[in-house]
Amino acid sequence: MPPTRGKAWTFGDHINTEAIMASGKEENREWMKDHVLEYYDPEFPKKVQPGDFIVAGRNFGASSGRPAGEILKAKGVRAILCESAGTVFYRNTWNMGLPVLECPGIRAKVEKGDELEADIEEGTIKISKTGEVLRAQETPWILLDIYRQNGMLGWIQSRRRKYRTLEQSGGNKAHSPLDRWKQQGSMPPSSGEISSRWERIRERMARENLDGFLVLSSQLKKDPVHYVANYTLLGERACFYLPAAAEPVLFISEAWDQARAAQETHLNEVRVLRADWPSDIASAVGASPRRLGIAGKEILGHREAAALEAALGRELISATRLLEDLAAIKSAHELDRIRAAAQMADAGFLGALEAAQEGMTDYELAAEIDHVMREMGATDNFLMIAVGQQNTGMLLPCGEKIQVGDLLLFEITPAYGAGTYSAQLCKTAIFGESPSPLLAEKYALLVASLQKSLAVIKPGVAMREVARIQNEIIGQAGYAAYCRPPYMRVRGHGFGLGRFEFDEDSSLVFAEGMSLVVHPNQFIPETGYLALGESIIVTAEGIERLTTTDSRIYPVGR
Amino acid sequence: MSFTRLPVLRHGLMLRHENILSDSAMQQRIQAVRQLMRARKVTTLMACSDAARSGPVCYLTDYPCFDPGRRAAAVLSLEEGPFLFTAEPSRNLPRVRRFTACDVEGRRRFLHEACERAKRLSGAGPIGRVGFDNLPGDLLKETEKLAGSEREDLSPDFAALLAAKDDSSLQATRRALQDAQEGMALLGRELGAGKSLWQVAAEVDYRLRLLGCEDTNILLGCATGGRVRPGYPPHLCPQRGEIVAAYVAVQYARHWAGVGRTFVVESASNDLQGKIRTLEEVRRILAAQVKAGMTLQEVKNSILESGAKAGVLLEPDVPLAAGIGFDLLEYPMKGEDCVPKNTVLQIALAAQVDAVSAMHVDLLHVTGGESCVWLSGTE
């Protein structure tokens, strides 16, 4: 929200809620508005203007839990700027969508009628007559989030809208694929989506003089067949055959999954592979294709690969790169899936922050993240986590319990439908404490690296430039040695089929329609490993940022 | 988080459960492998694993290939080892040490380094190989270091050794099964509560994670009739009277266990439930028929005979029996594979019982005695 200007109404210390909002007339809201704060300043209820500020001394809103903020908000007060606030009043008033900034020293510097400019998000207050900018104490992120949604009620509704995708409250208003996803929890591809992929593959086949195209998937790499057939692999393997002109065929290894496969793919022909599966594929392909391209052969064991080649009786032309290149540039449908995945990642992270408690284990925290995202429709997750102080990196949960002062590191990567449709969020939180000045200073390096490197991304820019900017900023702070393996590996990457990754040696170039994560995650000796990264889509002009949570250290459990 | 066989990264509690796999239990495993090596006259053994076939390396080191892209190798000589080689980056090592039984030795070109170690340990002696057939061509080239050594494929013997579960493996399997049964019970309670099958699966997955399992595999399917099979959970709310086929598998302390059941949503008719229970009669007959030393095909034939005795025609699309343990599907899995004593078989029965499609999956412990034991009891 942008900064706003208004006049100051000044008050002293210990202004209690009974004095702000007299008792006995609670049901008469208009009467309350006409008399609010008149005990301290009779002019106030008559002359306060929408957008004005209250500037007060210590313990503003002391005493009871009366909803005094509601009346002040109704009068149009933009914010309460005080030395300190009563604790119940403070939280209640934020919940009502009226910000309360605690800014020690403010009362002495502001007089009634002074013009002020306040930036609630940044926590700054500028006194126009002197130009002095005061910095308020840090506001917990959750209160700012509530403020953005105009109060707790709006915040809950927004979370339902955003994160509870199976809720049916949207009625029939949904139009976009994302809206439908929010209602139904799934986003099936349109009938034209998969066939347009076949068209693009066939165009490339024609250029490379291929008569047929085989795509293989196994449990170790499920994305290729999902990309060409929309089949979620359950069994050991699947194979998809796309002839140059005829109908394609899907082969799966589990007979019991045949009906589901036919339903999921809408293909006319879904066959079940027998133990001698290379022969099954060879008989379907037949003798006519002279030049047969194959994607995914490298995932086969060498004996299986040899058996397939022998059964097909001809040299197989590797076409893995062909398929990966096509998949690296996403269609509108794919980008919608990735946007949905990014929303899941944000929600999973916020879910973790809400759930985190002292003594909770890392695997319980991981379960909370998974649960939030799973309910939204996430089909998988690449999740790495660390709980502790002086972490060297993130990996799997190992039973570590959360303690005060621990850093909580997250790399959350929900997939939506297939690994190709993933978005990643790298975040750092601190439990039970505010970030120390040292930690804040080091994390600022990561924030600057992220912001500056994102600013250069657009089609045609070399990916190594992003890595170079990040390494330069972190390196200039004295950590160049930690910008290389084994401390750091890559500064960003794509996902699933068409995955790429980049460091300073990369020769890759950004192109419109790519999706990726950019993450200046960094080991710093004084603080341990710190995580920061967000997902983007490369657009014609630059980037679309998919991550909506802020780039900051999140204090939790306070 | 997985509703399918392999997630992109397993991330439940990944710990070495020393109450299950103690140092002495680990030593017993190593001694068993060395005994096999002596019998096959090899001085050094090198085993390779991937996420779909994690057993060999996990048996020797407790290191699971927890990511489809993360392979591993283990090297053991008659006197030294095991040594673990993975592509794990250095920054992960403090955490990796929490769940392995030995340190990670090589990281950069892990397979190349494993081969060098195997070659050095073997001297001029023969090297036993396990799992090399599953290496793709480009990785196989990295094993050229072994050229010049006499090599012996020990994969079938090693698979049979793993299948004959030791006490720690049986303990882990029982714990995994206990969690899977708990998950199935929860699933039964959640059905018909107005939730979609997707939400039900999400809830079960969540509860199982809180119990400390490493991974889950939850498959659900529903229909009003005909053949109902579990699959990727759909975003559908099952309606009253519909049949739900459910499979819940859990991995705990590296070991998988699975159960499959059929539910009739909010059924007012006990008659329907009773018909589904007909399959349990097949189980009772079968336990007395399966014996250690049979081939897997003979076990399958016994299942069909047990079905016939119970008056049930089993449906052919569901695989009747296969090994389960470090992986959801492991030795014995081919018809000719011999079933050793202490194998745990996953037995899947599916049949049309009076037009109701019923499916039952349970674990059968081939004890070596007169009768096998259903690990899930007789409910």
Side-chain angles (χ1 to χ4, degrees):
Chain A
M1 292 195 181
T4 59
R5 286 186 179 188
K7 297 236 179 293
W9 291 83
T10 53
F11 296 91
D13 294 339
H14 307 296
I15 304 294
N16 64 48
T17 51
E18 283 83 359
I20 300 170
M21 178 189 179
S23 58
K25 294 277 190 183
E26 286 88 346
E27 77 287 357
N28 190 339
R29 193 179 168 86
E30 288 307 310
W31 188 93
M32 283 285 177
K33 282 168 68 179
D34 290 344
H35 297 276
V36 63
L37 272 169
E38 70 177 356
Y39 179 78
Y40 292 99
D41 185 344
E43 276 192 317
F44 180 81
K46 298 183 180 76
K47 295 188 177 174
V48 66
Q49 294 296 309
D52 283 355
F53 299 100
I54 285 177
V55 175
R58 289 177 293 144
N59 200 22
F60 187 79
S63 185
S64 74
R66 303 169 65 74
E70 208 172 87
I71 302 303
L72 293 171
K73 190 181 176 193
K75 287 297 279 186
V77 170
R78 180 55 52 94
I80 294 159
L81 316 170
C82 55
E83 302 279 330
S84 65
T87 50
V88 175
F89 175 83
Y90 177 81
R91 180 68 198 229
N92 273 351
T93 307
W94 275 101
N95 285 352
M96 292 162 192
L98 178 61
V100 183
L101 295 185
E102 294 182 319
C103 184
I106 189 171
R107 181 64 193 87
K109 294 181 177 178
V110 176
E111 293 174 355
K112 184 177 173 183
D114 282 354
E115 187 182 81
L116 304 176
E117 183 177 311
D119 188 329
I120 306 300
E121 299 269 346
E122 290 296 316
T124 56
I125 302 141
K126 184 177 177 184
I127 305 168
S128 299
K129 68 180 181 188
T130 60
E132 186 179 2
V133 177
L134 308 176
R135 178 161 287 281
Q137 287 180 352
E138 188 175 16
T139 302
W141 66 271
I142 188 97
L143 296 185
L144 286 172
D145 214 27
I146 290 168
Y147 166 63
R148 287 179 201 121
Q149 303 300 334
N150 199 28
M152 181 62 91
L153 196 60
W155 186 76
I156 291 168
Q157 285 167 346
S158 79
R159 283 181 63 79
R160 284 207 176 132
R161 205 165 50 240
K162 225 168 163 181
Y163 308 137
R164 296 288 177 250
T165 60
L166 298 176
E167 172 195 66
Q168 297 301 307
S169 62
N172 58 3
K173 291 177 191 162
H175 297 295
S176 74
L178 266 175
D179 287 337
R180 284 201 295 278
W181 161 65
K182 286 169 184 174
Q183 282 193 13
Q184 299 166 6
S186 66
M187 196 190 286
S190 65
S191 56
E193 174 71 20
I194 301 296
S195 56
S196 75
R197 293 178 196 172
W198 299 345
E199 274 174 37
R200 281 184 286 150
I201 292 170
R202 281 176 168 143
E203 280 169 21
R204 292 287 301 269
M205 285 167 64
R207 265 191 269 160
E208 300 189 18
N209 203 21
L210 298 173
D211 307 313
F213 196 86
L214 272 175
V215 181
L216 303 179
S217 271
S218 75
Q219 281 290 322
L220 297 181
K221 193 158 186 179
K222 293 182 272 196
D223 290 343
V225 165
H226 188 275
Y227 184 75
V228 291
N230 193 44
Y231 173 60
T232 310
L233 179 65
L234 289 185
E236 191 176 2
R237 72 177 83 248
C239 175
F240 178 82
Y241 177 55
L242 183 70
E247 280 282 300
V249 187
L250 174 68
F251 301 88
I252 64 170
S253 52
E254 313 300 332
W256 53 266
D257 200 33
Q258 193 174 14
R260 189 192 66 88
Q263 193 178 20
E264 192 176 44
T265 62
H266 299 294
L267 287 169
N268 292 326
E269 209 172 345
V270 177
R271 299 188 196 174
V272 177
L273 293 167
R274 295 170 303 168
D276 182 17
W277 62 272
S279 299
D280 291 339
I281 291 171
S283 66
V285 170
S288 57
R290 288 169 299 107
R291 283 175 53 83
L292 195 57
I294 182 165
K297 187 180 144 200
E298 56 286 339
I299 60 173
L300 295 176
H302 67 98
R303 277 199 193 278
E304 285 183 332
L308 181 62
E309 200 146 343
L312 287 163
R314 74 208 83 176
E315 188 194 352
L316 301 175
I317 297 150
S318 176
T320 302
R321 193 68 260 160
L322 183 161
L323 195 64
E324 297 262 356
D325 286 349
L326 285 174
I329 305 299
K330 308 290 190 284
S331 69
H333 167 79
E334 292 176 293
L335 292 175
D336 275 334
R337 278 185 171 270
I338 291 162
R339 288 185 185 100
Q343 289 194 18
M344 293 171 190
D346 272 328
F349 173 60
L350 293 175
L353 297 189
E354 286 177 30
Q357 294 175 35
E358 190 171 0
M360 186 182 209
T361 59
D362 50 8
Y363 68 87
E364 290 169 324
L365 198 58
E368 297 290 343
I369 295 169
D370 275 357
H371 191 223
V372 169
M373 300 198 304
R374 182 63 90 182
E375 280 208 322
M376 295 171 68
T379 48
D380 211 336
N381 181 20
F382 180 96
L383 173 70
M384 296 203 293
I385 194 168
V387 169
Q389 298 174 24
Q390 284 293 330
N391 298 293
T392 56
M394 295 178 275
L395 197 62
L396 308 169
C398 56
E400 204 70 57
K401 288 187 175 175
I402 298 173
Q403 296 176 11
V404 171
D406 277 351
L407 287 183
L408 314 182
L409 307 180
F410 304 94
E411 189 167 299
I412 302 170
T413 319
Y416 186 37
T420 308
Y421 314 125
S422 294
Q424 188 170 95
L425 184 73
C426 305
K427 291 285 182 189
T428 301
I430 185 165
F431 187 83
E433 289 179 357
S434 294
S436 67
L438 176 78
L439 183 61
E441 177 200 321
K442 302 306 175 193
Y443 201 74
L445 287 173
L446 276 66
V447 175
S449 300
L450 180 66
Q451 304 302 352
K452 291 195 175 160
S453 59
L454 288 178
V456 301
I457 298 175
K458 62 181 180 182
V461 169
M463 293 187 188
R464 63 173 172 268
E465 185 61 8
V466 168
R468 188 195 63 73
I469 289 170
Q470 293 184 8
N471 291 347
E472 187 175 275
I473 292 171
I474 295 167
Q476 281 173 353
Y479 303 111
Y482 300 102
C483 292
R484 296 190 292 270
Y487 300 100
M488 279 314 308
R489 204 170 59 83
V490 296
R491 291 300 190 187
H493 55 82
F495 302 96
L497 194 66
R499 186 184 193 279
F500 54 86
E501 55 185 38
F502 58 90
D503 58 14
E504 275 200 71
D505 298 326
S506 171
S507 58
L508 300 170
V509 170
F510 290 111
E512 185 181 355
M514 283 179 166
S515 76
L516 63 144
V517 62
V518 177
H519 51 36
N521 294 336
Q522 185 65 43
F523 175 77
I524 290 180
E526 295 94 321
T527 61
Y529 199 79
L530 300 174
L532 177 66
E534 61 179 74
S535 287
I536 60 164
I537 290 170
V538 181
T539 63
E541 304 297 325
I543 60 168
E544 176 185 341
R545 293 175 80 157
L546 304 183
T547 301
T548 57
T549 42
D550 298 336
S551 298
R552 51 183 297 198
I553 300 173
Y554 284 75
V556 291
R558 295 171 65 202
Chain B
M1 179 170 75
S2 168
F3 290 171
T4 66
R5 261 176 74 182
L6 288 186
V8 291
L9 185 72
R10 294 172 203 202
H11 52 261
L13 173 61
M14 190 62 77
L15 201 63
R16 178 177 164 199
H17 296 266
E18 293 189 43
N19 57 329
I20 291 176
L21 186 63
S22 63
D23 286 346
S24 63
M26 200 70 226
Q27 280 308 313
Q28 280 173 20
R29 284 187 184 178
I30 291 164
Q31 289 314 318
V33 176
R34 285 188 172 133
Q35 202 174 333
L36 168 67
M37 290 162 64
R38 286 189 194 97
R40 295 294 305 270
K41 298 187 171 40
V42 299
T43 57
T44 305
L45 178 133
M46 179 170 159
C48 296
S49 283
D50 59 39
R53 290 157 290 234
S54 66
V57 170
C58 199
Y59 183 78
L60 283 167
T61 66
D62 209 35
Y63 177 88
C65 295
F66 49 82
D67 171 342
R70 203 155 296 199
R71 293 172 186 268
V75 175
L76 178 73
S77 78
L78 290 172
E79 292 81 26
E80 291 182 68
F83 302 100
L84 173 62
F85 298 81
T86 81
E88 208 66 64
S90 303
R91 64 174 183 269
N92 288 345
L93 293 186
R95 285 171 182 275
V96 169
R97 289 187 186 110
R98 306 280 293 261
F99 56 81
T100 56
C102 64
D103 218 343
V104 177
E105 295 284 324
R107 295 182 292 276
R108 290 285 170 89
R109 294 176 61 197
F110 75 98
L111 203 55
H112 177 89
E113 291 175 44
C115 290
E116 277 195 335
R117 180 68 60 89
K119 183 106 177 170
R120 185 162 62 75
L121 287 173
S122 70
I127 295 172
R129 297 173 306 158
V130 173
F132 276 45
D133 283 354
N134 299 322
L135 290 174
D138 59 333
L139 281 179
L140 189 72
K141 282 182 192 154
E142 297 220 14
T143 67
E144 282 167 2
K145 271 271 164 200
L146 297 177
S149 302
E150 195 184 326
R151 282 170 280 172
E152 187 87 17
D153 186 9
L154 265 54
S155 300
D157 309 76
F158 202 91
L161 180 68
L162 263 64
K165 295 199 165 21
D166 56 26
D167 288 345
S168 66
S169 277
L170 284 171
Q171 194 185 340
T173 303
R174 285 196 184 96
R175 167 59 200 261
L177 182 61
Q178 183 188 325
D179 287 355
Q181 288 177 306
E182 202 161 314
M184 186 62 81
L186 172 66
L187 194 149
R189 291 195 295 274
E190 293 280 314
L191 288 173
K195 290 183 177 176
S196 72
L197 291 181
W198 183 272
Q199 288 174 307
V200 170
E203 187 63 26
V204 173
D205 180 79
Y206 173 63
R207 295 289 164 193
L208 292 174
R209 295 273 171 205
L210 294 181
L211 292 176
C213 72
E214 285 167 15
D215 198 2
T216 68
N217 183 14
I218 302 165
L219 301 177
L220 295 168
C222 79
T224 50
R227 186 176 281 182
V228 189
R229 292 289 175 262
Y232 212 58
H235 292 267
L236 292 172
C237 286
Q239 302 299 308
R240 183 184 171 88
E242 280 192 324
I243 297 153
V244 174
Y247 176 73
V248 176
V250 166
Q251 190 180 32
Y252 188 88
R254 318 293 182 273
H255 288 72
W256 280 101
V259 288
R261 294 289 182 269
T262 305
F263 297 91
V264 183
V265 179
E266 293 181 287
S267 170
S269 163
N270 288 331
D271 192 33
L272 272 179
Q273 296 285 9
K275 284 172 183 165
I276 289 169
R277 288 199 191 99
T278 307
L279 285 176
E280 291 180 17
E281 177 61 16
V282 182
R283 297 167 75 242
R284 275 189 279 277
I285 300 169
L286 181 65
Q289 295 207 350
V290 173
K291 302 281 184 286
M294 282 179 160
T295 64
L296 190 65
Q297 189 55 53
E298 287 169 335
V299 172
K300 289 180 178 180
N301 293 341
S302 294
I303 295 171
L304 294 172
E305 284 167 22
S306 303
K309 281 182 189 168
V312 172
L313 184 60
L314 296 170
E315 294 182 316
D317 63 319
V318 172
L320 295 169
I324 186 169
F326 289 104
D327 298 300
L328 266 170
L329 176 64
E330 66 175 35
Y331 182 97
M333 60 178 106
K334 294 178 188 161
E336 66 269 24
D337 289 345
C338 182
V339 179
K341 179 185 169 185
N342 279 333
T343 299
V344 174
L345 293 173
Q346 181 167 263
I347 306 288
L349 308 173
Q352 289 282 332
V353 184
D354 290 352
V356 171
S357 176
M359 191 202 69
H360 223 93
V361 180
D362 276 315
L363 300 190
L364 184 67
H365 177 201
V366 183
T367 58
E370 277 304 297
S371 183
C372 297
V373 173
W374 291 102
L375 289 180
S376 44
T378 54
E379 90 335 326

